[in-house]
Structure formats: C-alpha cells, structure tokens
Amino acid sequence: MERKVGSSTVTSKEVKVALEKSRTLSSEEEKVLRMRHGAGAPSKSAPLPRAAGNNEELGDELLLIEMQLMKAMRERTGQTKSASNKPKAAAAASATKEKIVRALRKKK
C-alpha cells in the first residue's frame, strides 16, 4: 500500500455528486457529510423519501394515520372544508355581539 503525499481539496459540488451516487451511507452519515462540506440537498423539488419504502400495506397504514391527524388538527383549529360557513358564522357572531353591546348601553 502506497502512502499518498500531498493534499487535495474537495469541493462541495464533488461531495454532492458523490453523495447522490452513494447508497451505502445512513441518513445520519449523509447529513454529517453535507453539513461538513457545505453540500446542499440534491434538489429542492425532489420528492421526500417514503417511510414505507415498497411496503404497500405500511404505506396505506401511514396514509390513514396522516388523514386522521389532519382531521383532528382541523377540528382543533376550527378549520372547515367549506369556506361558505365562515361568512354565516361571522354574521351570527357580529349580530350576537351587537345585541350584547346594546344591552350594556341600556344599563348605563
């Protein structure tokens, strides 16, 4: 085995290309190399890796969980699917508010 003499500089572009080709690194190792050499993600428009991989049953289960979580979040924040309910609710709220304000003015 020969010993290398000298030094070389690795650019962020070279690291980025090498990481795109590599399939043996764990996600943590890849993250460390990207941070260490300033190599960004492959593409901003690239799809995120699927947690289920090729397992369709697991993918369906994860989709179901995601849908349940989104529904619970909408209920908690008060968001509804139809935007037509908002003007009616706002009008009813303002009518109630006006009624309360009138009653308080009469008390003075």
Side-chain angles (χ1 to χ4, degrees):
M1 185 171 189
E2 292 182 31
R3 186 173 189 183
K4 289 187 178 181
V5 179
S7 65
S8 63
T9 304
V10 179
T11 65
S12 62
K13 289 181 182 180
E14 292 171 339
V15 172
K16 191 174 185 177
V17 170
L19 287 174
E20 289 173 2
K21 292 179 183 177
S22 175
R23 300 287 174 231
T24 58
L25 294 175
S26 70
S27 61
E28 188 70 21
E29 292 169 334
E30 182 179 348
K31 180 180 173 185
V32 168
L33 286 172
R34 286 189 189 282
M35 291 173 66
R36 172 81 170 100
H37 295 285
S43 171
K44 291 183 179 181
S45 62
L48 295 174
R50 305 298 288 173
N54 293 333
N55 188 342
E56 289 184 26
E57 187 176 326
L58 180 59
D60 291 343
E61 196 68 30
L62 290 173
L63 178 62
L64 179 64
I65 292 169
E66 182 181 356
M67 290 169 53
Q68 290 171 345
L69 289 172
M70 288 296 290
K71 182 179 177 184
M73 184 194 72
R74 279 192 207 110
E75 289 174 358
R76 187 177 56 202
T77 59
Q79 295 176 351
T80 58
K81 288 186 178 181
S82 63
S84 62
N85 291 341
K86 288 187 179 182
K88 292 178 185 177
S94 68
T96 305
K97 181 179 174 182
E98 289 296 323
K99 186 176 179 181
I100 293 170
V101 169
R102 276 181 285 176
L104 289 173
R105 285 185 183 151
K106 286 181 184 178
K107 275 192 156 185
K108 287 186 177 182

